Coordinates of all heavy atoms in Angstrom, one line a residue:
M17 N 0.8 -1.2 0.0 CA 0.0 0.0 0.1 C 0.9 1.3 0.0 O 0.6 2.2 -0.8 CB -0.9 0.0 1.2 CG -1.8 1.2 1.3 SD -3.0 1.4 -0.1 CE -4.4 0.3 0.4
E18 N 2.0 1.2 0.8 CA 2.8 2.4 0.9 C 3.4 2.8 -0.6 O 3.4 3.9 -0.9 CB 4.0 2.2 1.9 CG 3.4 2.2 3.3 CD 4.7 1.9 4.2 OE1 5.9 2.1 3.8 OE2 4.4 1.4 5.4
K19 N 3.8 1.7 -1.3 CA 4.4 1.9 -2.6 C 3.3 2.5 -3.5 O 3.6 3.5 -4.3 CB 5.0 0.7 -3.2 CG 5.7 0.9 -4.5 CD 6.9 1.8 -4.4 CE 7.7 2.0 -5.6 NZ 8.8 2.8 -5.6
Q20 N 2.1 2.0 -3.5 CA 1.0 2.5 -4.3 C 0.7 3.9 -4.0 O 0.5 4.8 -4.9 CB -0.2 1.7 -4.3 CG -1.2 2.0 -5.3 CD -0.8 1.8 -6.7 OE1 0.1 0.8 -7.0 NE2 -1.2 2.6 -7.7
E21 N 0.7 4.2 -2.7 CA 0.4 5.6 -2.3 C 1.5 6.6 -2.8 O 1.2 7.6 -3.4 CB 0.4 5.8 -0.8 CG -0.9 5.0 -0.3 CD -0.9 4.9 1.3 OE1 0.2 5.0 1.9 OE2 -2.0 4.7 1.8
E22 N 2.8 6.1 -2.8 CA 3.8 6.9 -3.3 C 3.8 7.1 -4.8 O 3.9 8.2 -5.3 CB 5.3 6.2 -3.0 CG 6.4 6.9 -3.6 CD 7.7 6.0 -3.5 OE1 7.8 5.1 -2.6 OE2 8.6 6.4 -4.3
L23 N 3.4 6.1 -5.5 CA 3.2 6.2 -7.0 C 2.1 7.1 -7.4 O 2.2 7.9 -8.2 CB 2.9 4.8 -7.6 CG 4.1 3.8 -7.6 CD1 3.7 2.4 -7.9 CD2 5.2 4.2 -8.5
F24 N 1.0 7.1 -6.6 CA -0.1 7.9 -6.9 C 0.1 9.3 -6.6 O -0.2 10.2 -7.3 CB -1.4 7.4 -6.0 CG -2.6 8.1 -6.4 CD1 -3.2 7.9 -7.6 CD2 -3.2 9.0 -5.5 CE1 -4.3 8.7 -8.0 CE2 -4.4 9.7 -5.9 CZ -4.9 9.4 -7.1
R25 N 0.8 9.5 -5.5 CA 1.3 11.0 -5.1 C 2.2 11.5 -6.2 O 1.9 12.7 -6.7 CB 2.0 11.0 -3.8 CG 1.1 11.2 -2.6 CD 2.0 11.5 -1.4 NE 3.2 10.7 -1.2 CZ 3.2 9.5 -0.5 NH1 2.1 9.0 0.0 NH2 4.3 8.8 -0.4
N26 N 3.1 10.8 -6.7 CA 4.0 11.1 -7.8 C 3.2 11.5 -9.0 O 3.3 12.5 -9.7 CB 5.0 10.1 -8.1 CG 6.1 10.1 -7.0 OD1 6.2 10.9 -6.2 ND2 6.8 8.9 -7.0
Y27 N 2.2 10.7 -9.3 CA 1.4 10.8 -10.5 C 0.5 12.1 -10.4 O 0.4 12.8 -11.4 CB 0.4 9.6 -10.7 CG -0.8 9.8 -11.7 CD1 -0.4 10.0 -13.1 CD2 -2.0 9.8 -11.3 CE1 -1.5 10.2 -14.0 CE2 -3.0 10.0 -12.2 CZ -2.7 10.3 -13.6 OH -3.6 10.4 -14.5
C28 N 0.0 12.4 -9.2 CA -0.8 13.5 -9.0 C 0.0 14.8 -9.0 O -0.6 15.8 -9.6 CB -1.6 13.5 -7.7 SG -2.9 12.2 -7.6
F29 N 1.3 14.8 -8.6 CA 1.9 16.1 -8.4 C 3.2 16.2 -9.3 O 3.8 17.3 -9.2 CB 2.3 16.2 -6.9 CG 1.2 16.2 -6.0 CD1 0.9 15.2 -5.2 CD2 0.3 17.3 -6.0 CE1 -0.3 15.2 -4.4 CE2 -0.9 17.3 -5.2 CZ -1.2 16.3 -4.4
Q30 N 3.6 15.3 -10.1 CA 4.7 15.4 -10.8 C 4.3 15.2 -12.4 O 3.6 14.2 -12.7 CB 5.9 14.4 -10.5 CG 6.4 14.6 -9.2 CD 7.5 13.6 -8.9 OE1 7.9 12.8 -9.7 NE2 7.8 13.5 -7.6
R31 N 4.8 16.2 -13.2 CA 4.3 16.1 -14.6 C 4.7 14.8 -15.4 O 3.9 14.4 -16.3 CB 4.8 17.4 -15.3 CG 4.2 18.7 -14.8 CD 4.6 19.8 -15.7 NE 4.1 21.0 -15.2 CZ 4.3 22.2 -15.7 NH1 5.0 22.3 -16.8 NH2 3.7 23.3 -15.2
K32 N 5.8 14.4 -15.2 CA 6.3 13.3 -16.0 C 6.3 11.9 -15.4 O 6.8 10.9 -15.8 CB 7.8 13.6 -16.4 CG 7.9 14.8 -17.2 CD 9.3 14.9 -17.8 CE 9.3 16.3 -18.8 NZ 10.6 16.3 -19.3
S33 N 5.6 11.9 -14.3 CA 5.3 10.6 -13.6 C 4.4 9.7 -14.3 O 3.3 10.1 -14.9 CB 4.8 10.8 -12.2 OG 4.6 9.6 -11.5
P34 N 4.6 8.4 -14.5 CA 3.7 7.5 -15.1 C 2.3 7.4 -14.4 O 2.2 7.8 -13.2 CB 4.3 6.1 -15.0 CG 5.6 6.3 -14.2 CD 5.8 7.7 -13.8
V35 N 1.3 7.0 -15.1 CA -0.1 6.9 -14.6 C 0.0 5.8 -13.4 O 0.6 4.9 -13.5 CB -1.0 6.4 -15.7 CG1 -2.4 6.1 -15.1 CG2 -1.1 7.4 -16.8
A36 N -0.7 6.3 -12.4 CA -0.8 5.4 -11.2 C -2.3 5.3 -10.7 O -3.0 6.3 -10.6 CB 0.1 5.8 -10.1
A37 N -2.8 4.1 -10.3 CA -4.2 4.0 -9.9 C -4.2 4.5 -8.4 O -3.3 4.5 -7.6 CB -4.6 2.5 -9.8
V38 N -5.5 4.9 -8.1 CA -5.7 5.2 -6.6 C -5.4 4.1 -5.8 O -5.7 2.9 -6.1 CB -7.3 5.6 -6.4 CG1 -7.6 5.7 -5.0 CG2 -7.6 6.7 -7.4
P39 N -4.7 4.3 -4.6 CA -4.4 3.2 -3.8 C -5.5 2.3 -3.4 O -6.5 2.8 -3.1 CB -3.8 4.0 -2.5 CG -3.1 5.2 -3.1 CD -4.2 5.6 -4.2
G40 N -5.3 1.0 -3.5 CA -6.4 0.1 -3.1 C -7.2 -0.4 -4.3 O -8.0 -1.2 -4.2
T41 N -6.9 0.3 -5.5 CA -7.7 -0.1 -6.7 C -6.7 -0.8 -7.8 O -7.3 -1.1 -8.9 CB -8.4 1.1 -7.2 OG1 -7.4 2.1 -7.7 CG2 -9.3 1.7 -6.2
S42 N -5.4 -0.7 -7.7 CA -4.6 -1.2 -8.7 C -4.5 -2.7 -8.8 O -4.4 -3.5 -7.8 CB -3.2 -0.7 -8.3 OG -2.2 -1.4 -9.0
M43 N -4.5 -3.1 -10.1 CA -4.5 -4.5 -10.4 C -3.1 -5.0 -10.1 O -2.9 -6.2 -9.7 CB -4.9 -4.8 -11.8 CG -6.4 -4.5 -12.1 SD -7.5 -5.5 -11.1 CE -7.5 -7.0 -12.0
H44 N -2.1 -4.2 -10.3 CA -0.8 -4.5 -9.8 C -0.7 -4.8 -8.3 O -0.1 -5.8 -7.9 CB 0.2 -3.4 -10.2 CG 0.5 -3.2 -11.7 ND1 1.3 -4.0 -12.4 CD2 0.0 -2.3 -12.5 CE1 1.3 -3.6 -13.6 NE2 0.6 -2.6 -13.7
Q45 N -1.2 -3.9 -7.6 CA -1.2 -4.0 -6.1 C -2.0 -5.3 -5.7 O -1.6 -5.9 -4.7 CB -1.9 -2.8 -5.5 CG -1.8 -2.7 -4.0 CD -2.4 -1.4 -3.5 OE1 -2.9 -0.6 -4.2 NE2 -2.3 -1.2 -2.1
A46 N -3.1 -5.7 -6.4 CA -3.7 -6.8 -6.1 C -3.1 -8.1 -6.5 O -3.5 -9.3 -6.1 CB -5.2 -6.8 -6.8
G47 N -2.1 -7.9 -7.3 CA -1.3 -9.1 -7.8 C -1.8 -9.8 -9.0 O -1.4 -10.8 -9.4
Y48 N -2.6 -9.1 -9.8 CA -3.2 -9.6 -11.0 C -2.6 -8.9 -12.3 O -2.9 -9.4 -13.4 CB -4.7 -9.3 -11.1 CG -5.4 -10.3 -10.2 CD1 -5.9 -9.9 -9.0 CD2 -5.6 -11.6 -10.5 CE1 -6.5 -10.7 -8.1 CE2 -6.2 -12.6 -9.7 CZ -6.8 -12.0 -8.4 OH -7.4 -12.9 -7.6
A49 N -1.7 -7.9 -12.2 CA -1.2 -7.2 -13.3 C 0.3 -7.3 -13.3 O 1.0 -7.2 -12.1 CB -1.7 -5.8 -13.4
I50 N 0.9 -7.3 -14.5 CA 2.4 -7.2 -14.6 C 2.7 -6.2 -15.7 O 1.9 -6.1 -16.7 CB 3.1 -8.5 -15.0 CG1 2.5 -9.2 -16.1 CG2 2.9 -9.5 -13.6 CD1 3.2 -10.5 -16.5
D51 N 3.8 -5.6 -15.7 CA 4.4 -4.8 -16.9 C 5.7 -5.6 -17.2 O 6.5 -5.8 -16.4 CB 4.7 -3.4 -16.4 CG 3.5 -2.6 -16.1 OD1 2.3 -3.0 -16.6 OD2 3.5 -1.6 -15.4
L52 N 5.8 -5.9 -18.5 CA 6.9 -6.5 -19.1 C 7.8 -5.6 -19.9 O 7.3 -4.6 -20.4 CB 6.4 -7.7 -20.0 CG 5.5 -8.7 -19.3 CD1 4.9 -9.6 -20.3 CD2 6.3 -9.5 -18.3
N53 N 9.1 -5.9 -19.9 CA 10.0 -5.2 -20.8 C 9.8 -5.8 -22.2 O 10.5 -6.6 -22.6 CB 11.4 -5.4 -20.3 CG 12.4 -4.6 -21.2 OD1 12.0 -3.9 -22.2 ND2 13.6 -4.5 -20.8
V54 N 8.9 -5.3 -23.0 CA 8.6 -5.8 -24.3 C 9.6 -5.3 -25.4 O 9.6 -5.7 -26.5 CB 7.1 -5.3 -24.8 CG1 6.1 -6.1 -23.9 CG2 7.0 -3.8 -24.8
K55 N 10.7 -4.6 -24.9 CA 11.8 -4.2 -25.8 C 12.8 -5.2 -25.8 O 13.6 -5.3 -26.7 CB 12.4 -2.8 -25.3 CG 11.4 -1.7 -25.6 CD 12.1 -0.3 -25.2 CE 10.9 0.7 -25.3 NZ 11.5 2.0 -24.9
E56 N 12.8 -6.2 -24.9 CA 13.7 -7.3 -24.9 C 13.3 -8.2 -26.1 O 12.2 -8.5 -26.4 CB 13.6 -8.2 -23.6 CG 14.3 -7.5 -22.3 CD 15.8 -7.7 -22.6 OE1 16.4 -8.6 -23.1 OE2 16.5 -6.5 -22.3
P57 N 14.3 -8.7 -26.8 CA 13.9 -9.6 -28.0 C 13.1 -10.7 -27.6 O 13.3 -11.4 -26.7 CB 15.3 -10.1 -28.4 CG 16.4 -9.1 -27.8 CD 15.7 -8.6 -26.5
G58 N 12.0 -10.8 -28.4 CA 11.2 -12.0 -28.3 C 10.0 -11.8 -27.3 O 9.0 -12.6 -27.4
V59 N 10.1 -11.0 -26.4 CA 9.0 -10.9 -25.2 C 7.7 -10.5 -25.8 O 6.7 -11.2 -25.5 CB 9.5 -9.9 -24.1 CG1 8.3 -9.7 -23.1 CG2 10.8 -10.3 -23.4
K60 N 7.6 -9.5 -26.5 CA 6.4 -9.0 -27.1 C 5.7 -10.0 -28.1 O 4.5 -10.3 -27.8 CB 6.6 -7.7 -27.9 CG 5.3 -7.1 -28.3 CD 5.6 -5.7 -29.0 CE 4.3 -5.0 -29.5 NZ 4.6 -3.7 -30.0
R61 N 6.5 -10.6 -28.9 CA 6.0 -11.6 -29.8 C 5.5 -12.8 -29.0 O 4.4 -13.5 -29.3 CB 7.1 -11.9 -30.8 CG 6.5 -13.0 -31.9 CD 5.5 -12.3 -32.8 NE 5.0 -13.2 -33.8 CZ 3.8 -13.3 -34.1 NH1 2.9 -12.5 -33.7 NH2 3.4 -14.3 -35.1
W62 N 6.3 -13.3 -28.0 CA 5.9 -14.5 -27.3 C 4.6 -14.3 -26.5 O 3.7 -15.1 -26.6 CB 7.0 -14.9 -26.3 CG 6.8 -16.3 -25.7 CD1 7.2 -17.4 -26.2 CD2 6.0 -16.5 -24.6 NE1 6.8 -18.4 -25.4 CE2 6.0 -18.0 -24.5 CE3 5.2 -15.8 -23.7 CZ2 5.3 -18.5 -23.4 CZ3 4.5 -16.5 -22.7 CH2 4.6 -17.8 -22.5
M63 N 4.5 -13.1 -26.0 CA 3.2 -12.8 -25.2 C 2.0 -12.7 -26.2 O 0.9 -13.1 -25.8 CB 3.4 -11.4 -24.5 CG 4.2 -11.5 -23.2 SD 3.7 -12.8 -22.0 CE 2.4 -12.0 -21.3
Q64 N 2.2 -12.2 -27.3 CA 1.2 -12.1 -28.4 C 0.7 -13.4 -28.8 O -0.5 -13.7 -28.9 CB 1.6 -11.4 -29.7 CG 1.8 -9.9 -29.4 CD 2.5 -9.2 -30.7 OE1 3.3 -9.8 -31.4 NE2 2.3 -7.8 -30.8
L65 N 1.6 -14.4 -28.9 CA 1.3 -15.8 -29.2 C 0.8 -16.7 -28.0 O -0.1 -17.6 -28.3 CB 2.5 -16.5 -29.9 CG 2.9 -15.9 -31.2 CD1 4.3 -16.5 -31.6 CD2 2.0 -16.1 -32.3
H66 N 1.3 -16.4 -26.8 CA 1.0 -17.4 -25.8 C 0.3 -16.9 -24.5 O -0.1 -17.6 -23.7 CB 2.4 -18.0 -25.4 CG 2.9 -18.8 -26.4 ND1 2.6 -20.0 -27.0 CD2 4.1 -18.4 -27.2 CE1 3.4 -20.3 -28.0 NE2 4.2 -19.3 -28.1
A67 N 0.2 -15.5 -24.3 CA -0.3 -15.0 -23.1 C -1.7 -15.6 -22.8 O -1.9 -16.0 -21.6 CB -0.4 -13.5 -23.2
K68 N -2.6 -15.7 -23.6 CA -3.9 -16.1 -23.4 C -3.9 -17.6 -22.9 O -4.7 -18.0 -22.0 CB -4.8 -16.0 -24.7 CG -6.3 -16.2 -24.4 CD -7.1 -16.0 -25.6 CE -8.5 -16.3 -25.3 NZ -9.5 -16.0 -26.4
E69 N -3.0 -18.4 -23.4 CA -2.8 -19.8 -22.9 C -2.6 -19.8 -21.4 O -3.0 -20.9 -20.8 CB -1.7 -20.5 -23.6 CG -1.7 -20.8 -25.1 CD -0.4 -21.2 -25.6 OE1 0.2 -22.1 -24.9 OE2 0.0 -20.7 -26.6
Y70 N -2.0 -18.9 -20.9 CA -1.7 -18.8 -19.5 C -2.6 -17.9 -18.6 O -2.4 -17.6 -17.5 CB -0.2 -18.4 -19.2 CG 0.7 -19.4 -19.9 CD1 1.2 -19.3 -21.2 CD2 1.1 -20.6 -19.2 CE1 2.0 -20.3 -21.8 CE2 1.9 -21.6 -19.7 CZ 2.3 -21.3 -21.0 OH 3.2 -22.3 -21.6
G71 N -3.6 -17.4 -19.4 CA -4.6 -16.6 -18.7 C -4.3 -15.1 -18.5 O -4.9 -14.4 -17.7
F72 N -3.3 -14.6 -19.4 CA -2.9 -13.2 -19.4 C -3.6 -12.5 -20.6 O -3.6 -13.0 -21.6 CB -1.4 -13.1 -19.4 CG -0.8 -13.4 -18.0 CD1 -0.3 -14.6 -17.8 CD2 -0.6 -12.3 -17.2 CE1 0.2 -14.9 -16.6 CE2 0.0 -12.7 -15.9 CZ 0.4 -13.9 -15.6
F73 N -4.0 -11.2 -20.4 CA -4.7 -10.4 -21.4 C -4.1 -9.0 -21.3 O -3.8 -8.5 -20.2 CB -6.2 -10.4 -21.1 CG -6.7 -11.8 -21.2 CD1 -6.8 -12.5 -20.1 CD2 -7.3 -12.3 -22.4 CE1 -7.4 -13.9 -20.2 CE2 -7.9 -13.5 -22.4 CZ -7.9 -14.3 -21.2
R74 N -3.9 -8.4 -22.5 CA -3.7 -6.9 -22.5 C -4.9 -6.2 -22.4 O -5.9 -6.5 -23.0 CB -3.1 -6.6 -23.9 CG -1.7 -6.8 -24.1 CD -1.0 -6.1 -25.2 NE -1.3 -4.7 -25.3 CZ -1.5 -4.1 -26.4 NH1 -1.5 -4.7 -27.6 NH2 -1.8 -2.8 -26.4
T75 N -5.0 -5.4 -21.2 CA -6.2 -4.8 -21.0 C -6.2 -3.2 -21.0 O -7.2 -2.6 -20.9 CB -6.6 -5.1 -19.4 OG1 -5.5 -4.7 -18.6 CG2 -6.9 -6.6 -19.3
V76 N -5.0 -2.8 -21.4 CA -4.9 -1.3 -21.6 C -4.3 -1.1 -23.0 O -3.2 -1.4 -23.3 CB -3.9 -0.6 -20.6 CG1 -3.8 0.9 -20.8 CG2 -4.4 -0.9 -19.2
S77 N -5.2 -0.8 -24.0 CA -4.7 -0.7 -25.3 C -3.6 0.1 -25.6 O -2.8 -0.2 -26.6 CB -5.9 -0.4 -26.2 OG -6.4 1.0 -26.0
S78 N -3.3 1.1 -24.9 CA -2.2 2.0 -25.2 C -0.9 1.6 -24.5 O 0.1 2.2 -24.6 CB -2.5 3.5 -24.6 OG -2.8 3.5 -23.2
E79 N -1.0 0.5 -23.7 CA 0.3 0.0 -23.1 C 0.5 -1.4 -23.5 O 0.0 -2.4 -23.0 CB 0.0 0.1 -21.5 CG -0.2 1.5 -21.0 CD -0.4 1.4 -19.4 OE1 -0.4 0.4 -18.8 OE2 -0.5 2.6 -18.9
D80 N 1.3 -1.7 -24.5 CA 1.7 -3.0 -25.0 C 2.5 -3.8 -24.0 O 2.7 -5.0 -24.1 CB 2.3 -2.9 -26.4 CG 3.6 -2.2 -26.5 OD1 4.0 -1.5 -25.4 OD2 4.2 -2.2 -27.5
W81 N 2.9 -3.3 -22.9 CA 3.7 -3.9 -21.8 C 2.8 -4.4 -20.7 O 3.3 -5.2 -19.8 CB 4.8 -3.0 -21.3 CG 4.2 -1.8 -20.7 CD1 3.8 -1.6 -19.4 CD2 4.0 -0.5 -21.4 NE1 3.3 -0.3 -19.3 CE2 3.4 0.4 -20.4 CE3 4.2 -0.1 -22.7 CZ2 3.0 1.7 -20.7 CZ3 3.9 1.3 -22.9 CH2 3.2 2.1 -22.0
H82 N 1.6 -4.1 -20.6 CA 0.7 -4.3 -19.5 C -0.2 -5.5 -19.8 O -0.9 -5.5 -20.7 CB -0.1 -3.0 -19.2 CG -1.0 -3.2 -18.0 ND1 -0.7 -2.9 -16.7 CD2 -2.3 -3.7 -18.0 CE1 -1.7 -3.1 -15.9 NE2 -2.7 -3.7 -16.6
Y83 N 0.0 -6.5 -18.9 CA -0.9 -7.6 -18.9 C -1.5 -8.0 -17.6 O -0.9 -7.6 -16.6 CB 0.0 -9.0 -19.3 CG 0.3 -8.9 -20.8 CD1 1.4 -8.3 -21.3 CD2 -0.5 -9.7 -21.7 CE1 1.7 -8.3 -22.7 CE2 -0.2 -9.7 -23.1 CZ 0.9 -9.0 -23.5 OH 1.2 -9.0 -24.9
E84 N -2.7 -8.5 -17.7 CA -3.4 -8.8 -16.5 C -3.8 -10.3 -16.5 O -4.1 -10.8 -17.5 CB -4.7 -8.0 -16.3 CG -4.3 -6.6 -15.9 CD -5.6 -5.7 -15.7 OE1 -6.6 -6.1 -15.5 OE2 -5.3 -4.4 -15.7
F85 N -3.7 -11.0 -15.3 CA -4.0 -12.4 -15.2 C -5.5 -12.5 -14.8 O -5.9 -11.9 -14.0 CB -3.0 -13.0 -14.1 CG -3.4 -14.5 -13.9 CD1 -3.1 -15.5 -14.8 CD2 -4.1 -14.8 -12.7 CE1 -3.4 -16.8 -14.6 CE2 -4.4 -16.2 -12.5 CZ -4.1 -17.1 -13.5
S86 N -6.1 -13.6 -15.4 CA -7.5 -13.9 -15.0 C -7.6 -15.3 -14.7 O -7.2 -16.2 -15.6 CB -8.4 -13.5 -16.3 OG -9.7 -14.1 -15.9
P87 N -7.8 -15.7 -13.5 CA -7.9 -17.1 -13.0 C -8.9 -17.9 -13.8 O -8.8 -19.0 -13.9 CB -8.3 -17.0 -11.6 CG -8.5 -15.6 -11.2 CD -8.1 -14.8 -12.4
T88 N -10.0 -17.2 -14.3 CA -10.9 -17.9 -15.1 C -10.6 -18.1 -16.6 O -11.3 -18.9 -17.3 CB -12.3 -17.1 -15.1 OG1 -12.2 -15.9 -15.8 CG2 -12.8 -16.8 -13.7
G89 N -9.5 -17.5 -17.1 CA -9.2 -17.6 -18.5 C -9.8 -16.6 -19.3 O -9.7 -16.6 -20.6
D90 N -10.7 -15.8 -18.8 CA -11.4 -14.8 -19.5 C -10.9 -13.4 -19.0 O -10.5 -13.2 -17.9 CB -13.0 -14.8 -19.2 CG -13.5 -16.1 -19.7 OD1 -13.2 -16.5 -20.9 OD2 -14.3 -16.7 -19.0
P91 N -10.9 -12.4 -20.0 CA -10.4 -11.1 -19.5 C -11.3 -10.6 -18.4 O -12.5 -10.8 -18.3 CB -10.7 -10.2 -20.8 CG -10.7 -11.1 -21.9 CD -11.3 -12.5 -21.3
L92 N -10.6 -10.0 -17.4 CA -11.2 -9.3 -16.2 C -12.0 -8.1 -16.7 O -11.6 -7.5 -17.7 CB -10.2 -9.0 -15.2 CG -9.5 -10.1 -14.6 CD1 -8.3 -9.6 -13.8 CD2 -10.3 -11.0 -13.8
P93 N -13.2 -7.8 -16.0 CA -13.9 -6.7 -16.4 C -13.0 -5.5 -16.1 O -12.4 -5.4 -15.2 CB -15.1 -6.7 -15.5 CG -14.9 -7.7 -14.5 CD -13.7 -8.5 -14.9
M94 N -13.3 -4.5 -17.0 CA -12.5 -3.2 -16.9 C -13.1 -2.3 -15.9 O -14.3 -2.3 -15.7 CB -12.5 -2.4 -18.2 CG -11.9 -3.3 -19.3 SD -10.1 -3.5 -19.1 CE -9.5 -2.0 -19.7

């Protein structure tokens, strides 16, 4: 929670800070979201081909590095 609060404060008060969710609402904080280094060779392509097999979905169209896990195998509601 402390880290999410810090990220959110930075987002609110610093112009170049990345987007951060309100503390307590982040899928990252809940353990369901990951951000991957899709600039590493093969990562982006592998995820495009195999993420769904493992229950991961891209849920933020403007972020090709952000994936969320769904235990049911279906995308989580937005």
Side-chain angles (χ1 to χ4, degrees):
M17 181 62 87
E18 289 176 26
K19 183 63 174 178
Q20 189 65 32
E21 289 170 348
E22 174 189 343
L23 292 169
F24 187 68
R25 271 193 312 275
N26 290 343
Y27 169 64
C28 289
F29 299 110
Q30 295 179 13
R31 289 184 185 186
K32 294 186 180 183
S33 178
V35 174
V38 173
T41 67
S42 167
M43 293 302 276
H44 288 284
Q45 189 178 0
Y48 287 102
I50 58 173
D51 290 339
L52 300 171
N53 182 355
V54 294
K55 293 180 181 178
E56 281 291 317
V59 172
K60 185 175 182 177
R61 184 71 181 140
W62 192 92
M63 289 300 286
Q64 289 170 335
L65 293 172
H66 301 287
K68 190 173 180 179
E69 294 172 44
Y70 296 94
F72 285 90
F73 300 88
R74 275 191 56 216
T75 56
V76 181
S77 61
S78 62
E79 298 179 358
D80 59 354
W81 59 86
H82 178 91
Y83 283 83
E84 293 182 10
F85 175 73
S86 171
T88 65
D90 296 315
L92 297 169
M94 301 288 284

